[in-house]
Amino acid sequence: MRRSNDGASRQKVKRTGSHNVITRPENITDQVYRALRQRIVQGEIAEGERMVEAALAEEFNVSKTPVREALSRLASERLAERIPGGGVIARAMSYEEVADYLEVREVLEGLGAEKAAVRAAQSDIAKLESIIDESEAAGANGDLNSYSVLDSAFHTTIICMGDNIALKEIMPLLHDKIRVVMKASVALPGRFPKSVEEHRSVLRALAEGDPREAGAQMRKHIMSTRAAVMERLTSQNSKQEQ
């Protein structure tokens, strides 16, 4: 396929194995941006890993222009950063940044749980029960990738149940910022079963339609998660300093 020199040309990136191919009409820059963003938040592109324009342009079968524009957008979101001498790498978050994001998450998800408790339908409760059961099975089998996806689904479902426009807009962005460190924290000894039990405590409050308790249990869960994440980062930093 002929490469486009215009980032606004309309094509679509389709993932095929480890490669991406432009297959049908849609904005090239947007598609490259979304594909790279997904790789970063899922940890497929590691922190500090360089993203080379020429190599990515060849992989996506596009010109360098949409790749360059996509990288600029990622840098503006602080998911990537430009390095001296040229080039762009996946940005590593500082200890302080992670702590700040989790602090905000504690407040917002507590609010989200309160709102969800008021609006919860039986079908919502059943969906959350299913997610918890599946996540427990995934964790017991050592499938932390599936557990991470299901954990995200649990929190996203609760935010959607509350039907607050601002929370539904803000929380996906917040989750993406810290998804990599959150995923790694589950591997800490004892964290997985504790997280599952915390989810069940939140669910019980939602099923009882108790906003105050639902908010309290969600904040307690995020506080526990925050402690686990910060413990991992502290340990990681100590090893790097040795």
Side-chain angles (χ1 to χ4, degrees):
M1 175 179 289
R2 180 177 62 83
R3 294 187 179 186
S4 168
N5 291 317
D6 181 1
S9 297
R10 298 190 173 277
Q11 303 287 337
K12 182 178 180 180
V13 176
K14 179 180 179 182
R15 192 75 180 269
T16 305
S18 60
H19 301 286
N20 295 277
V21 180
I22 304 300
T23 58
R24 63 186 175 82
E26 201 166 334
N27 183 286
I28 292 179
T29 297
D30 287 347
Q31 287 296 307
V32 173
Y33 158 78
R34 280 194 285 271
L36 292 177
R37 192 179 194 283
Q38 183 71 4
R39 292 186 191 182
I40 291 172
V41 300
Q42 293 288 358
E44 295 176 26
I45 297 177
E47 294 179 346
E49 182 176 341
R50 187 170 182 176
M51 292 175 280
V52 182
E53 283 184 13
L56 290 170
E58 182 175 356
E59 177 184 351
F60 289 123
N61 193 31
V62 298
S63 71
K64 291 183 182 179
T65 299
V67 174
R68 187 177 303 117
E69 292 173 349
L71 293 175
S72 292
R73 287 172 64 179
L74 292 168
S76 71
E77 293 182 2
R78 295 169 63 81
L79 289 172
E81 65 179 327
R82 298 195 178 279
I83 55 177
V88 179
I89 61 172
R91 184 174 178 274
M93 293 182 68
S94 69
Y95 181 97
E96 291 76 14
E97 284 178 296
V98 174
D100 286 349
Y101 277 116
L102 286 171
E103 185 176 29
V104 171
R105 185 184 173 193
E106 179 186 331
V107 174
L108 295 182
E109 292 221 34
L111 174 62
E114 290 173 1
K115 290 190 170 296
V118 175
R119 303 174 63 92
Q122 188 54 46
S123 58
D124 297 321
I125 301 303
K127 180 178 180 179
L128 290 172
E129 285 179 333
S130 177
I131 290 172
I132 292 175
D133 289 344
E134 289 182 42
S135 68
E136 186 172 29
N141 291 328
D143 186 355
L144 296 185
N145 285 329
S146 293
Y147 179 86
S148 178
V149 171
L150 290 163
D151 176 76
S152 179
F154 176 82
H155 288 275
T156 299
T157 298
I158 292 174
I159 293 297
C160 290
M161 285 166 58
D163 200 29
N164 179 282
I165 294 174
L167 287 176
K168 288 194 291 185
E169 179 180 341
I170 294 169
M171 293 312 300
L173 299 175
L174 184 57
H175 286 161
D176 282 351
K177 288 279 189 181
I178 56 176
R179 187 177 297 180
V180 173
V181 292
M182 292 293 296
K183 181 178 177 181
S185 72
V186 179
L188 289 171
R191 180 56 199 157
F192 150 67
K194 186 176 181 181
S195 181
V196 170
E197 183 50 42
E198 289 165 359
H199 282 181
R200 293 198 187 282
S201 295
V202 173
L203 178 59
R204 282 192 289 271
L206 292 172
E208 292 169 2
D210 187 339
R212 184 173 180 178
E213 182 65 11
Q217 290 298 329
M218 180 60 82
R219 284 187 286 272
K220 181 180 178 181
H221 169 53
I222 301 301
M223 285 176 65
S224 179
T225 299
R226 181 183 180 190
V229 169
M230 303 322 290
E231 176 187 342
R232 173 187 172 272
L233 291 179
T234 299
S235 175
Q236 187 179 62
N237 291 339
S238 296
K239 289 179 181 179
Q240 291 175 348
E241 292 171 0
Q242 292 177 356

